[in-house]
Amino acid sequence: MHPCYDSFDHNFHPSYIEFFNRLLPETRDAFKLRHKYEEEFAHNPSYIEMYRRGNAFHGAHPFFMWYWGGKRSSACRSRDCRGAENAHVPEMLGWERSDNLSEAISMARTYMGRSAEITMLHQPSILIADMQ
């Protein structure tokens, strides 16, 4: 469940904006993305400058996050996003969209049958650093 806002912070995630708007419409395949674009983003002078002297993540960061999520997603038959404010973002990510939990369960049952189960994973922050 996520609102799937169609916005990125330009100071922290400039390479994500390009990744989302330019690369994902072409392909969501991690191997193609890696071989065709990862080096370009890693060596992009403006992304390097924003990483070194600003507050931005490294230019290649969206690729690593895509790979990280993609490994788990590849094991799923379907990914449904409930609560998205728009259809554009889930579509770009390759997800289906539902308006409510009942609709999401109904969609899951088309893949899993009547025995479909719901699992909720509560995942705390991976790391919180206090820099002094």
Side-chain angles (χ1 to χ4, degrees):
M1 183 169 168
H2 195 279
C4 290
Y5 303 126
D6 191 4
S7 64
F8 294 91
D9 187 294
H10 292 267
N11 294 317
F12 294 103
H13 300 105
S15 59
Y16 281 74
I17 297 166
E18 184 177 5
F19 183 90
F20 183 81
N21 291 301
R22 180 169 73 101
L23 305 190
L24 290 184
E26 180 183 324
T27 184
R28 291 189 290 267
D29 182 282
F31 292 103
K32 288 180 184 175
L33 289 166
R34 179 176 180 256
H35 291 290
K36 191 170 180 181
Y37 296 110
E38 186 180 305
E39 288 293 317
E40 172 191 334
F41 276 61
H43 298 290
N44 180 307
S46 64
Y47 294 154
I48 291 171
E49 181 68 17
M50 294 172 84
Y51 174 69
R52 288 182 179 165
R53 292 180 180 73
N55 295 309
F57 283 92
H58 190 276
H61 198 263
F63 292 86
F64 305 136
M65 296 302 97
W66 188 258
Y67 307 151
W68 189 28
K71 181 66 176 166
R72 278 123 189 110
S73 294
S74 65
C76 299
R77 277 193 206 165
S78 173
R79 291 157 300 240
D80 175 61
C81 184
R82 184 170 70 88
E85 290 187 343
N86 60 65
H88 172 68
V89 172
E91 181 181 325
M92 290 286 284
L93 298 172
W95 301 348
E96 294 184 44
R97 181 183 175 279
S98 60
D99 290 322
N100 55 56
L101 184 58
S102 296
E103 185 179 346
I105 292 169
S106 177
M107 291 167 66
R109 286 185 171 150
T110 64
Y111 293 99
M112 301 300 298
R114 301 261 330 135
S115 64
E117 296 181 8
I118 298 172
T119 301
M120 180 182 167
L121 174 65
H122 174 75
Q123 183 174 347
S125 300
I126 296 171
L127 172 69
I128 298 175
D130 183 11
M131 304 298 289
Q132 296 186 22

